């Protein structure tokens, strides 16, 4: 069973992106012990106009961004499911929306590959779905440590 579904919204389909999604999510699920969980993620690749519209509708922020995450569980609820191995049914972990032009722009800006930037967006989105956040410095440090571990394990470096 796949752990993800990919949707292309007003953007060309690119097979190599799907390979990146597969590799990154396999490692994320393995790292968090979710490989047998029946959880899955919907990833939408889109453009700045669509992500701005979604950002405005759901977050009241009228500007484009790079990645949006919409978790289906609160962290405590998900932690309980994981602890109790409560995965009898297929369930959505959440949705991640990524602006591909923003990924391209940031890869150039930070001086690394498109693959590195897209992988980071996927890992970042995944940990938001897992209930992690980066509003407080301590939370940010915990989330960044988890993100960097995944990318390092996959040898996707800056």
């Amino acid at each position: 069973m796949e752990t993800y579904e990919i949707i292309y919204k007003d953007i060309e389909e690119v097979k190599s992106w799907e390979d990146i999604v597969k590799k990154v999510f396999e490692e994320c699920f393995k790292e968090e012990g979710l490989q047998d969980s029946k959880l899955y993620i919907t990833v939408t690749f889109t453009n700045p106009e669509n992500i701005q519209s979604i950002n405005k509708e759901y977050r009241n922020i009228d500007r484009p961004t790079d990645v949006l995450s919409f978790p289906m569980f609160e962290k405590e609820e998900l932690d309980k499911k994981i602890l109790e191995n409560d995965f009898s049914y297929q369930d959505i972990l959440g949705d991640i929306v990524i602006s591909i032009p923003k990924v391209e722009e940031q890869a150039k800006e930070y001086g690394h590959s498109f693959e590195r930037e897209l992988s980071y967006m996927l890992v970042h989105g995944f940990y938001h779905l897992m209930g992690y956040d980066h509003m407080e410095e301590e939370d940010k440090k915990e989330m960044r440590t988890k993100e960097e571990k995944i990318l390092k394990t996959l040898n996707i470096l800056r």
Side-chain angles (χ1 to χ4, degrees), residues 6-132:
I6 298 173
I7 298 166
Y8 293 87
K9 184 169 179 171
D10 300 326
I11 201 156
E12 181 185 338
E13 289 187 30
V14 177
K15 181 71 178 118
S16 63
W17 300 347
E18 296 178 24
D19 296 337
I20 294 169
V21 171
K22 181 177 178 20
K23 177 171 66 171
V24 167
F25 284 159
E26 279 179 359
E27 187 59 35
C28 287
F29 273 65
K30 184 175 140 194
E31 176 65 25
E32 296 301 324
L34 297 174
Q35 57 273 50
D36 299 322
S37 68
K38 298 185 183 173
L39 289 170
Y40 70 97
I41 298 168
T42 301
V43 178
T44 301
F45 292 132
T46 193
N47 59 35
E49 298 78 23
N50 285 330
I51 209 164
Q52 179 170 348
S53 173
I54 295 165
N55 206 15
K56 183 178 180 185
E57 181 178 347
Y58 291 98
R59 299 180 64 227
N60 239 3
I61 300 173
D62 191 12
R63 66 174 187 265
T65 188
D66 49 7
V67 60
L68 292 170
S69 304
F70 299 96
M72 295 299 150
F73 297 98
E74 293 293 327
K75 184 164 182 5
E76 297 72 28
E77 183 184 9
L78 187 57
D79 288 346
K80 184 176 182 223
K81 278 181 87 66
I82 292 168
L83 188 65
E84 296 173 358
N85 199 22
D86 180 17
F87 298 109
S88 305
Y89 306 99
Q90 189 171 35
D91 215 341
I92 185 160
L93 184 57
D95 301 301
I96 298 172
V97 184
I98 297 175
S99 172
I100 292 298
K102 194 72 172 160
V103 171
E104 292 167 341
E105 177 189 313
Q106 289 177 177
K108 285 183 188 124
E109 183 183 326
Y110 299 135
H112 53 236
S113 68
F114 175 86
E115 179 189 15
R116 166 54 167 95
E117 190 63 20
L118 179 58
S119 297
Y120 175 75
M121 292 296 139
L122 291 163
V123 173
H124 186 77
F126 171 82
Y127 278 108
H128 273 309
L129 299 184
M130 292 293 293
Y132 291 89

